[in-house]
Amino acid sequence: MKRRFHVILITCAVLLLLAVLTLCFPGSRKIDTTLIATEYRFNEPDYAVEHTITIRGYDTRNLLGRGTFEGTFAVSDWETAQEGWSAYVQFPIRSDSYFNMNFNDPSGQAITRNTFSMLADRDWTRFVGLILESTEHNDGTVTGSFDPETGRFLVSGPPDRTVALTLASELAKGTSLEALFPR
């Protein structure tokens, strides 16, 4: 009887340890996909521009959603598609910010251009991102801004604003972006 209790206790402890390890420590999923995404404006219902997106890298989020994506997030006709640039996305997004994504140029300099906020499913086939309005100044510096009233956003999939807003709302649920994509 005592022996059976110890076996059950040890088995439960091992199972609990495995559960904690699975939830808290990241795995690494290789991402290698090319898909269509559509850019929209919050204040212009008829605005829709398709882009080809190539995503390659590793997503290390654990089952609690904590981790990173590191790799390339290349958008056709955007500066992020330059050779040698890498994307870095931190999950989850902070509750007091829209920002969780930046790019590194080949020298390693961190740069926030175009997409500065990204929410994605674990295999990166469904995502929504906010697009930064960048202004390059005469001295070569670049500043960026985002206005939730007039800003732009990028959603995976072909142009269908209703479907895109539904997907964006699903992905933004429980994050600081939720208020931008109400149901």
Side-chain angles (χ1 to χ4, degrees):
M1 180 78 161
K2 217 177 190 184
R3 182 171 167 84
R4 178 190 266 183
F5 176 75
H6 286 350
V7 169
I8 291 172
L9 186 64
I10 291 171
T11 302
C12 288
V14 169
L15 290 174
L16 180 64
L17 179 63
L18 288 174
V20 168
L21 290 174
T22 301
L23 288 173
C24 296
F25 293 100
S28 184
R29 284 172 299 289
K30 184 176 182 176
I31 308 299
D32 187 357
T33 188
T34 299
L35 50 98
I36 298 296
T38 305
E39 173 186 338
Y40 299 95
R41 285 193 177 278
F42 284 105
N43 65 341
E44 291 182 38
D46 294 331
Y47 182 88
V49 177
E50 280 189 51
H51 297 282
T52 301
I53 313 292
T54 302
I55 307 165
R56 290 191 177 98
Y58 291 90
D59 187 316
T60 64
R61 282 181 279 177
N62 63 22
L63 293 177
L64 297 174
R66 298 187 183 287
T68 61
F69 169 81
E70 292 184 58
T72 58
F73 186 88
V75 181
S76 61
D77 303 323
W78 285 9
E79 188 173 23
T80 59
Q82 291 186 38
E83 186 69 32
W85 281 49
S86 60
Y88 179 81
V89 185
Q90 181 72 43
F91 295 104
I93 193 166
R94 290 187 1 228
S95 62
D96 63 344
S97 173
Y98 293 148
F99 175 77
N100 75 331
M101 182 177 196
N102 67 279
F103 293 88
N104 292 330
D105 69 12
S107 72
Q109 176 70 34
I111 297 171
T112 302
R113 290 271 176 96
N114 297 317
T115 309
F116 71 101
S117 182
M118 185 61 60
L119 299 173
D121 64 3
R122 293 185 185 279
D123 63 2
W124 285 78
T125 57
R126 299 175 347 126
F127 62 82
V128 60
L130 300 180
I131 301 171
L132 192 65
E133 298 293 335
S134 297
T135 305
E136 191 161 342
H137 304 283
N138 291 336
D139 64 358
T141 61
V142 177
T143 57
S145 63
F146 177 77
D147 181 347
E149 298 292 321
T150 62
R152 297 175 296 147
F153 59 100
L154 184 68
V155 181
S156 56
D160 182 326
R161 188 176 180 93
T162 303
V163 172
L165 288 171
T166 300
L167 174 59
S169 179
E170 288 173 20
L171 292 170
K173 186 175 173 94
T175 72
S176 59
L177 276 63
E178 185 172 20
L180 297 173
F181 304 104
R183 287 192 182 251

